[in-house]
Amino acid sequence: MPLSPPAQPGQSFAEIETPALVLDLDAFERNLVAMAAFTQAHGIRLRPHAKSHKSPEIALRQIAHGAVGQCCQKAGEAEVLVAGGVGDVLVTNEIVGAAKLDRLARLARSAKIGLCVDHPDGVREAAEAAARNDVTLDVYVEIDVGGRRCGVAPGEGAVRLAEAIARSNTLRFAGIHAYHGSAQHMRSIDERREAIERAGFAARNTVERLSHAGLKCEIVTGAGTGTHELETQSGIWNEIQAGSYIFMDADYARNRQADGTPFRTFEHSLFVLAGVMSKPVPDRAIVDAGHKSAAVDSGMPVPFRREGVIYTKPSDEHGVLTGDPIAMPHRGDSLLLIPGHCDPTVNLHDWYVCVRGLHGPDAHVEALWPVAARGALI
Amino acid sequence: MPLSPPAQPGQSFAEIETPALVLDLDAFERNLVAMAAFTQAHGIRLRPHAKSHKSPEIALRQIAHGAVGQCCQKAGEAEVLVAGGVGDVLVTNEIVGAAKLDRLARLARSAKIGLCVDHPDGVREAAEAAARNDVTLDVYVEIDVGGRRCGVAPGEGAVRLAEAIARSNTLRFAGIHAYHGSAQHMRSIDERREAIERAGFAARNTVERLSHAGLKCEIVTGAGTGTHELETQSGIWNEIQAGSYIFMDADYARNRQADGTPFRTFEHSLFVLAGVMSKPVPDRAIVDAGHKSAAVDSGMPVPFRREGVIYTKPSDEHGVLTGDPIAMPHRGDSLLLIPGHCDPTVNLHDWYVCVRGLHGPDAHVEALWPVAARGALI
């Protein structure tokens, strides 16, 4: 049976059932414009990461603002994006297994599809899938630029993989994937700058060796919201993959800019609207949003514009607010929580409740957008 | 567009796509039998918590083994359970707001429906919803027995609420809800025993005061998998709400029994099957299951029967395995992970891949069960 959505278009803000994933359309649109202006001013390609939003509605708005396409992590996400009208998708991940590779290859009949490799067997398997499905796949060599996750070592190992790709009849060597995940949430600009300088050195060295081997590296792709200005200014990357900029989670807001002030390039546009179901004592209120409404892997959700009120101790379906009794909400009140980490929070919900004029007196639901690729794990 | 399921019934274990939520049917059935034997031997009612499994398929099997019905946390979960054939559902939570209460009241036309209150407004609102829908609702007074979450103070406050319920024409005072959540994961039996003794004192005192006020407390309900033996043996509770016993997560396995050995009453039956997509160096392998496949709020997933291999550093769609190079799996291998916390892990998936003979040579997919109430947040 289908589950009830938390709201319907046209309803007032007060009519939204809790908990709900609320998108402040005004702030979201300002974030879209801010990143479009930045990337256009710097002449850099933007390929936003759809793992943040899992929504063709959002992908198409990013593309309308100049993005070249989308990134994603899973074959299932790519399927949802292509079905929703996205024509250019890069899976920024190693895809292992014939069934998944065949799914990507089938998509390549109607869209430009890229994937990453970091092992010779990955090249062979991708080539076979492309051949079985009579398509060409774009293949990027992923190099480990400091994240110590996937990726081949920069330099000669990457060149050998690129040569194997270039030898294939069904693959196109498209460039290198150089993403430094752990640099995104380093708090000071100095730490982030040093990490991205090291990553840039590895990427530049790899591009030069590829060139010596006669291989043109068309695209150097990577970067996230936390470091995108550094990759952009490096002159090494020519495509950035920032995803979280549209939403701005609480954790990114803890990063510091060059002058030591919080990272404020983008606005908080995504919230979990929670309702108070119990207030047993004046300094404790219990909300209906716990682990199943808001991810806590990067810290607790932060109550929005509720000074003195702290969200703590989530259970599956409860969150405990503690703090100043004067500021504490009452039973039946609702409040906005800034998710600690937007990406896994979005993945818990089926709908974006898109609100116009969120912080004003006429706040109303303008649209419901499905989180169409929620749970696209394979 | 519907997402691809990770397997089909009849396939071999090796054909399951990763990541997938795998249920070991044999261990699951032994857990069902073990809890049925325990509750029957002790003459205590079992009302398992459906927030763990979100599946009518599992609920009906629990009821076939003697459970009196189900618990859940949300109106949407109750709707899924009743639609799936469950006739007796207790929402172990305060439900605030006319729309949600009307949904519960409508369900009460075809099933026995209970809910909890801890505030006089909750009694009034539930009575109004029952009257609007021409039904009777079972109402339990939730008392705070030490969890410091929801609940009225034990004793006179609870009696006043019960009197208000009893005065209503549309509500039935069904008993008290006395659940000590934070006791579930206290590691030593002594800590858990002390917490449940205190909870029992508060519950007994409340029942006696209710009796003095002329109110019969038919049911004292509470307990979880971590403490269910203690509540059962107390003589105070007559209904236990254990949910996790069917699955046994990694965190419950860290609890200790009276003799200091790990809690082994139930077997690990639920796993996330993860695939290795990259192995950049001998002591590091990257799997395709991260935050969006396995909840980490109670600690990292634990590789099953992979001594020397540790799951660490999850990203949205990556998990990093580190440890002994000899024991480390290879690119393309799959491995079972015991979730740190089953309930929010189940909620990330759309399907249980139910495997017969999981650890033997003929392991195969016997059924796919939908996680039907996944994302039932409101």
Side-chain angles (χ1 to χ4, degrees), chain B residues 320-365:
Chain B
V320 179
L321 303 179
T322 56
D324 180 2
I326 303 297
M328 199 63 63
H330 299 289
R331 181 183 177 281
D333 285 354
S334 63
L335 71 161
L336 295 168
L337 302 173
I338 307 166
H341 188 185
C342 286
D343 298 13
T345 297
V346 166
N347 188 54
L348 296 169
H349 294 261
D350 290 319
W351 299 98
Y352 291 98
V353 179
C354 303
V355 175
R356 185 66 70 188
L358 177 63
H359 306 301
D362 301 320
H364 64 278
V365 179

Side-chain angles (χ1 to χ4, degrees), chain A residues 282-285 302-312 320-329 335:
Chain A
D283 66 351
R284 183 169 88 238
V302 176
F304 182 72
R305 296 186 184 166
R306 286 265 181 186
E307 285 291 318
V309 176
I310 298 165
Y311 179 105
T312 180
V320 178
L321 304 180
T322 56
D324 181 1
I326 304 297
M328 199 64 60
L335 71 161

Side-chain angles (χ1 to χ4, degrees), chain B residues 52-123:
Chain B
S52 298
H53 58 69
K54 289 180 168 272
S55 158
E57 293 275 359
I58 291 176
L60 295 178
R61 281 165 177 77
Q62 291 174 317
I63 291 166
H65 282 77
V68 298
Q70 293 279 299
C71 304
C72 70
Q73 298 287 71
K74 300 283 179 160
E77 289 177 331
E79 287 168 343
V80 169
L81 290 169
V82 172
V86 177
D88 186 341
V89 179
L90 166 58
V91 183
T92 57
N93 218 347
E94 282 66 27
I95 299 294
V96 175
K100 286 173 184 153
L101 286 165
D102 276 333
R103 287 164 61 196
L104 284 186
R106 283 194 291 274
L107 284 183
R109 294 174 188 160
S110 51
K112 183 174 163 77
I113 300 292
L115 76 163
C116 295
V117 297
D118 67 358
H119 192 281
D121 288 348
V123 178

Side-chain angles (χ1 to χ4, degrees), chain A residues 158-304:
Chain A
V159 173
R160 285 194 292 276
L161 282 177
E163 286 171 338
I165 297 165
R167 278 196 301 272
S168 159
N169 295 324
T170 55
L171 306 179
R172 195 179 77 86
F173 172 60
I176 61 173
H177 182 241
Y179 173 66
H180 195 324
S182 47
Q184 302 306 314
H185 299 273
M186 293 173 176
R187 293 299 174 227
S188 79
I189 183 77
D190 290 342
E191 289 171 290
R192 296 197 299 280
R193 182 178 289 119
E194 187 188 329
I196 299 307
E197 278 177 1
R198 286 171 184 269
F201 181 83
R204 187 189 294 278
N205 177 269
T206 303
V207 171
E208 287 171 357
R209 288 176 185 238
L210 287 165
S211 177
H212 293 155
L215 289 165
K216 178 168 164 41
C217 182
E218 187 185 329
I219 302 289
V220 179
T221 185
T225 296
T227 62
H228 73 283
E229 291 165 296
L230 298 167
E231 281 94 344
T232 296
Q233 288 155 8
S234 72
I236 299 163
W237 283 265
N238 55 13
E239 182 176 279
I240 61 169
Q241 300 175 357
S244 300
Y245 74 95
I246 48 173
F247 297 144
M248 270 299 288
D249 51 39
D251 197 66
Y252 268 128
R254 288 188 270 268
N255 277 8
R256 298 283 148 171
Q257 305 180 118
D259 60 1
T261 61
F263 179 51
R264 287 276 183 269
T265 311
F266 305 105
E267 300 174 51
H268 294 299
S269 72
L270 191 80
F271 303 93
V272 173
L273 181 69
V276 177
M277 57 179 169
S278 178
K279 193 180 176 187
V281 290
D283 66 351
R284 183 169 88 238
I286 315 299
V287 296
D288 57 10
H291 290 308
K292 293 179 184 170
S293 302
V296 300
D297 57 271
S298 298
M300 293 299 127
V302 176
F304 182 72

Side-chain angles (χ1 to χ4, degrees), chain B residues 115-344:
Chain B
L115 76 163
C116 295
V117 297
D118 67 358
H119 192 281
D121 288 348
V123 178
R124 179 178 52 74
E125 291 161 6
E128 290 168 359
R132 275 195 301 275
N133 293 279
D134 198 21
V135 296
T136 301
L137 290 167
D138 277 7
V139 181
Y140 294 73
V141 175
E142 177 165 7
I143 61 172
D144 181 357
V145 291
R148 293 182 55 78
R149 207 168 59 179
C150 301
V152 71
E156 285 309 308
V159 173
R160 285 194 292 276
L161 282 177
E163 287 171 337
I165 297 164
R167 277 196 301 273
S168 160
N169 295 324
T170 54
L171 305 180
R172 194 179 77 85
F173 173 59
I176 60 173
H177 182 242
Y179 173 65
H180 197 324
S182 47
Q184 301 307 312
H185 299 273
M186 293 173 175
R187 293 298 173 228
S188 79
I189 184 77
D190 290 342
E191 291 171 290
R192 295 198 299 279
R193 182 177 291 120
E194 187 188 328
I196 299 307
E197 278 177 1
R198 286 170 185 268
F201 181 82
R204 186 188 293 279
N205 177 268
T206 303
V207 171
E208 287 171 357
R209 288 176 185 236
L210 286 165
S211 178
H212 292 156
L215 289 164
K216 178 168 164 42
C217 182
E218 187 185 328
I219 302 290
V220 178
T221 185
T225 296
T227 63
H228 73 283
E229 291 164 297
L230 299 167
E231 281 94 343
T232 296
Q233 288 155 6
S234 72
I236 299 163
W237 283 265
N238 56 11
E239 181 177 279
I240 60 170
Q241 300 175 357
S244 300
Y245 74 96
I246 47 173
F247 297 145
M248 271 299 288
D249 51 38
D251 197 64
Y252 267 128
R254 288 188 270 267
N255 278 8
R256 297 284 148 170
Q257 305 181 118
D259 61 0
T261 59
F263 179 51
R264 286 277 183 270
T265 311
F266 305 104
E267 300 174 51
H268 294 299
S269 72
L270 191 79
F271 303 93
V272 174
L273 181 69
V276 177
M277 57 179 171
S278 178
K279 194 180 175 186
V281 290
D283 66 350
R284 184 168 87 238
I286 316 298
V287 295
D288 55 11
H291 290 308
K292 293 179 184 171
S293 302
V296 299
D297 57 271
S298 299
M300 294 300 125
V302 176
F304 182 73
R305 295 185 186 167
R306 285 267 181 186
E307 285 292 316
V309 175
I310 298 164
Y311 179 105
T312 181
K313 270 187 63 171
S315 316
D316 286 333
E317 304 280 14
H318 298 80
V320 179
L321 303 179
T322 56
D324 180 2
I326 303 297
M328 199 63 63
H330 299 289
R331 181 183 177 281
D333 285 354
S334 63
L335 71 161
L336 295 168
L337 302 173
I338 307 166
H341 188 185
C342 286
D343 298 13

Side-chain angles (χ1 to χ4, degrees), chain A residues 20-188:
Chain A
L21 188 69
V22 164
L23 183 63
D24 175 347
L25 282 176
D26 305 287
F28 163 73
E29 290 168 2
R30 287 191 293 269
N31 288 342
L32 279 183
V33 168
M35 183 61 99
F38 174 83
T39 51
Q40 282 154 24
H42 290 82
I44 195 159
R45 291 159 58 101
L46 173 64
R47 181 186 284 283
H49 220 304
K51 80 180 176 69
S52 298
H53 59 68
K54 289 179 169 272
S55 159
E57 293 275 0
I58 291 177
L60 295 178
R61 281 164 177 78
Q62 291 174 316
I63 292 166
H65 282 76
V68 298
Q70 293 279 298
C71 304
C72 69
Q73 297 288 72
K74 300 284 179 160
E77 290 177 331
E79 287 167 343
V80 169
L81 291 169
V82 171
V86 176
D88 186 340
V89 178
L90 166 59
V91 183
T92 58
N93 219 346
E94 282 66 28
I95 299 295
V96 174
K100 287 173 184 153
L101 287 166
D102 276 333
R103 288 164 60 197
L104 284 185
R106 283 194 291 273
L107 284 183
R109 293 173 188 159
S110 51
K112 183 174 162 76
I113 300 292
L115 77 162
C116 295
V117 297
D118 67 357
H119 191 281
D121 287 347
V123 178
R124 180 179 51 74
E125 291 161 6
E128 289 168 0
R132 276 194 301 274
N133 293 278
D134 197 21
V135 296
T136 301
L137 289 167
D138 276 8
V139 180
Y140 295 73
V141 174
E142 176 164 9
I143 61 172
D144 180 358
V145 291
R148 292 183 54 79
R149 206 168 59 181
C150 301
V152 70
E156 284 311 308
V159 173
R160 285 194 292 276
L161 282 177
E163 286 171 338
I165 297 165
R167 278 196 301 272
S168 159
N169 295 324
T170 55
L171 306 179
R172 195 179 77 86
F173 172 60
I176 61 173
H177 182 241
Y179 173 66
H180 195 324
S182 47
Q184 302 306 314
H185 299 273
M186 293 173 176
R187 293 299 174 227
S188 79

